[in-house]
Amino acid sequence: MYFENTREFAQKLDQKDPLKKYRDQFLFPKVNDKRVLYFTGNSLGLQPKNTRQFVNDVMKDWEELAVEGHFYAQKPWWDYHERLANPLSKIVGAKPAEITVMNTLTVNLHLLMVSFYRPKGNRYKIICEEKAFPSDQYMLQSQVRFHGYEPDDAIIEIKKRDGEHNFRTEDILKTIKEVGDECALILIGGVNYYTGQVFDMKTITKAGHDVGAFVGWDLAHAAGNIKLDLHNWDVDFAAWCSYKYMNSGPGNASGCFVHERFHNQKEIPRFEGWWGTSKETRFLMKPEFEPMANADAWQLSNAPVLSLAPYLASLEMFDEVGMDAIVAKRNQIVAYLEYILKEIDEQVESSFEIITPSNQEERGTQLSVFLHGEGRKLFEYLMKKGVIVDWREPNVIRLAPAPLYCSYSDMYEFGQILKEGILNKVS
């Protein structure tokens, strides 16, 4: 792919960008009265302009209909969450019946563990990646303690090789084989939050099933970012947050995937609630739980409609664009950012080390960069200049140019500000 580190070249790429119109459908913060360069879609996506109307529609229905809004709103509340299943199924590669939206990510992982972490006898161990996102670590530790095990014994962490930043698939497969019939569950982040590495989910899932374990994925940094095919990969379960690449708003509702082979199993271990029981008999207030014949059987309470409205607004855009187009731009804009970083690296004394895999198949919309010779003051300089990036100790910045609202010109301008900051010795 041929690139140039010039404003004119970046502008030409913007002119040819099939997704360029979507940039104007988002609201950008401003610093010094200028729209920011936003690189933290991997933490919190920008607000789509249509979000406010979706929320206002719910507020208006509440105002005018009160409790009757459950059945007579334009989008009735009692089945509001069902509207998200079809567009989400296309994003994660599932059947609509395998999707539900509820709660938040860690809550959903805990609930799914009820069904898919069933330690018995010698089969009680969980395989995860070392230094997983802290919430996942806490969740796994508390789960094994709840079942009477010690984390140091029950949790097996896959390690990176000395001197390497990313995991090797062969090392993961080796660990799975070694743990063997002691493995009850494999639960890994589909995209590593720190490095941006994409795991080979299809291969790892098969390896887990070959030793008799359940396999689930935390897709917080994957959903809306990379192509997923959960159903055909035979994944048992997955969950993801909606507020990163899918722009649903801070701390918003989480999506869940439960493979269809686990549907219609009344005896499966599961914490149950009113909204998981059959719609046809729900309001008969029967004492017996009759599970929905799909992933909605894992629902507990009635849907938080005010939270789901922003998610639905964003999903309409995703449905219009499609993941193929998002991935195509993602590959090009991340490659251009990588090129810009290498160009600037040659022009300054400091050195940059990109720890995200260079292979496009092993990365998504993120580059994690060691700024050797630089400190946190450079990060603070970027922020003051209106470049919103993410800092991780000791000296890593994470850059996630979300394809729907980031431009190639943003990549060029970022490079110039970064270079200026280093040459001015701000650190």
Side-chain angles (χ1 to χ4, degrees):
M1 208 175 293
Y2 172 77
F3 293 127
E4 293 178 8
N5 185 20
T6 66
R7 182 174 285 107
E8 292 73 23
F9 183 82
Q11 290 172 345
K12 286 179 182 178
L13 289 178
D14 287 331
Q15 291 168 4
K16 296 177 182 177
D17 179 11
L19 303 187
K20 62 183 177 182
K21 72 175 184 179
Y22 293 98
R23 178 175 170 86
D24 289 332
Q25 295 185 29
F26 287 86
L27 297 167
F28 285 75
K30 290 185 177 181
V31 172
N32 299 324
D33 293 326
K34 288 181 61 177
R35 188 157 66 174
V36 301
L37 305 180
Y38 197 75
F39 286 93
T40 50
N42 58 343
S43 184
L44 178 66
L46 293 180
Q47 182 185 142
K49 290 180 179 178
N50 66 339
T51 297
R52 190 179 301 272
Q53 186 58 54
F54 275 67
V55 175
N56 286 344
D57 287 346
V58 176
M59 297 296 287
K60 187 172 179 60
D61 287 334
W62 182 17
E63 172 191 345
E64 296 180 351
L65 298 172
V67 71
E68 293 293 274
H70 282 95
F71 299 103
Y72 300 111
Q74 185 176 1
K75 297 182 180 74
W77 304 335
W78 86 305
D79 60 1
Y80 197 99
H81 65 284
E82 295 177 12
R83 293 170 176 80
L84 286 72
N86 188 61
L88 272 174
S89 70
K90 300 173 190 176
I91 292 171
V92 301
K95 295 182 178 182
E98 295 173 317
I99 301 295
T100 194
V101 181
M102 58 186 188
N103 311 307
T104 50
L105 175 56
T106 304
V107 173
N108 284 340
L109 287 173
H110 273 297
L111 292 173
L112 290 165
M113 292 279 277
V114 175
S115 299
F116 298 103
Y117 180 52
R118 308 184 209 167
K120 185 177 181 181
N122 288 330
R123 191 181 289 278
Y124 64 93
K125 294 184 178 180
I126 299 174
I127 295 176
C128 67
E129 79 274 31
E130 70 172 343
K131 296 183 179 178
F133 192 79
S135 190
D136 285 2
Q137 295 182 57
Y138 308 152
M139 185 271 298
L140 291 174
Q141 291 165 11
S142 64
Q143 282 281 339
V144 298
R145 288 194 185 102
F146 175 78
H147 286 280
Y149 303 100
E150 287 299 320
D152 289 345
D153 175 46
I155 298 175
I156 308 298
E157 292 188 342
I158 299 158
K159 308 289 185 182
K160 301 171 188 172
R161 296 190 185 184
D162 289 344
E164 296 186 1
H165 295 298
N166 294 292
F167 299 91
R168 294 197 186 195
T169 300
E170 60 263 35
D171 293 346
I172 298 173
L173 302 182
K174 180 182 176 183
T175 299
I176 293 171
K177 191 171 183 179
E178 288 173 350
V179 178
D181 59 11
E182 291 185 337
C183 185
L185 173 68
I186 298 168
L187 181 58
I188 297 174
V191 175
N192 184 265
Y193 84 98
Y194 189 78
T195 67
Q197 178 188 8
V198 175
F199 287 90
D200 186 345
M201 288 177 256
K202 179 180 180 181
T203 300
I204 294 168
T205 298
K206 182 181 184 305
H209 288 163
D210 286 346
V211 299
F214 289 117
V215 183
W217 294 93
D218 176 346
L219 302 177
H221 290 266
N225 176 16
I226 65 172
K227 285 295 291 289
L228 296 163
D229 198 8
L230 300 182
H231 177 83
N232 290 328
W233 291 344
D234 209 28
V235 169
D236 294 313
F237 71 96
W240 56 91
C241 53
S242 60
Y243 49 82
K244 300 183 190 300
Y245 295 105
M246 285 187 286
N247 316 307
S248 74
N252 218 328
S254 164
C256 293
F257 164 89
V258 179
H259 199 282
E260 66 177 357
R261 65 177 168 275
F262 301 107
H263 301 175
N264 290 311
Q265 291 188 23
K266 191 172 183 179
E267 303 306 318
I268 191 170
R270 178 176 51 211
F271 288 160
E272 296 169 338
W274 193 29
W275 236 245
T277 197
S278 169
K279 287 174 68 175
E280 287 71 24
T281 62
R282 185 175 300 158
F283 288 90
L284 297 179
M285 308 299 182
K286 297 170 63 176
E288 301 87 6
F289 183 82
E290 297 179 0
M292 293 282 288
N294 53 31
D296 283 343
W298 277 260
Q299 287 272 351
L300 297 179
S301 302
N302 56 329
V305 178
L306 283 169
S307 294
L308 297 185
Y311 200 0
L312 184 59
S314 180
L315 286 175
E316 286 199 355
M317 189 184 304
F318 270 84
D319 209 36
E320 180 180 305
V321 177
M323 283 304 298
D324 287 338
I326 289 173
V327 168
K329 181 178 177 183
R330 178 205 75 191
N331 287 343
Q332 180 156 296
I333 200 168
V334 173
Y336 189 50
L337 174 61
E338 183 178 36
Y339 166 81
I340 293 289
L341 286 166
K342 290 177 179 178
E343 285 284 300
I344 302 302
D345 190 20
E346 295 178 0
Q347 300 170 21
V348 298
E349 292 182 2
S350 301
S351 63
F352 307 152
E353 181 185 2
I354 299 173
I355 62 175
T356 306
S358 58
N359 180 0
Q360 286 187 341
E361 299 301 314
E362 297 179 75
R363 71 184 186 192
T365 313
Q366 177 178 318
L367 292 180
S368 296
V369 188
F370 266 115
L371 302 175
H372 296 301
E374 300 297 329
R376 188 177 174 86
K377 287 185 178 179
L378 178 59
F379 162 75
E380 294 168 354
Y381 174 84
L382 293 172
M383 297 290 281
K384 289 176 183 177
K385 289 290 185 177
V387 182
I388 310 301
V389 298
D390 179 67
W391 174 270
R392 298 282 161 164
E393 297 295 342
N395 60 336
V396 169
I397 58 170
R398 298 189 306 162
L399 304 164
L404 285 174
Y405 51 75
C406 286
S407 70
Y408 295 94
S409 293
D410 289 344
M411 306 304 106
Y412 170 78
E413 299 299 339
F414 162 70
Q416 295 304 298
I417 295 171
L418 179 65
K419 177 182 174 181
E420 177 186 80
I422 294 172
L423 293 179
N424 288 344
K425 304 294 184 184
V426 299
S427 59

